[in-house]
Amino acid sequence: MAEEFRIVERWPDLFEGVSASDIEDIVQAFASAFQEGWVPNRPDVEDLVAFHTRRIDFDEYENRSRSLVERNRGIDD
């Protein structure tokens, strides 16, 4: 069975206190990636929510994304 995209329903705690318009922007950011084969996962969603709501800056978002890719490839710093 294919993975479902419903990220807000899957991890509602990540979206607590986030405005409806911000949630829509975040969901749309992942929608095309999902259609291209991205599998929803909590770390990706958590990091984009944090970036979009300005809890982390772009450099931190990029560092987290890079670290996640490296961990997924089995490469640890």
Side-chain angles (χ1 to χ4, degrees), residues 13-76:
D13 59 304
L14 297 180
F15 295 92
E16 289 177 8
V18 179
S19 72
S21 63
D22 284 340
I23 291 172
E24 183 177 337
D25 290 344
I26 293 163
V27 168
Q28 289 302 314
F30 281 124
S32 62
F34 178 73
Q35 291 176 346
E36 294 177 15
W38 172 77
V39 177
N41 64 81
R42 186 179 176 95
D44 284 348
V45 175
E46 187 171 23
D47 289 344
L48 187 59
V49 170
F51 172 67
H52 194 80
T53 58
R54 296 178 178 84
R55 288 181 241 157
I56 61 173
D57 63 15
F58 180 75
D59 290 337
E60 178 63 19
Y61 178 73
E62 191 172 59
N63 287 336
R64 289 180 183 192
S65 297
R66 188 177 299 115
S67 294
L68 185 60
V69 167
E70 289 173 355
R71 279 194 306 274
N72 287 338
R73 288 184 180 163
I75 301 170
D76 292 328

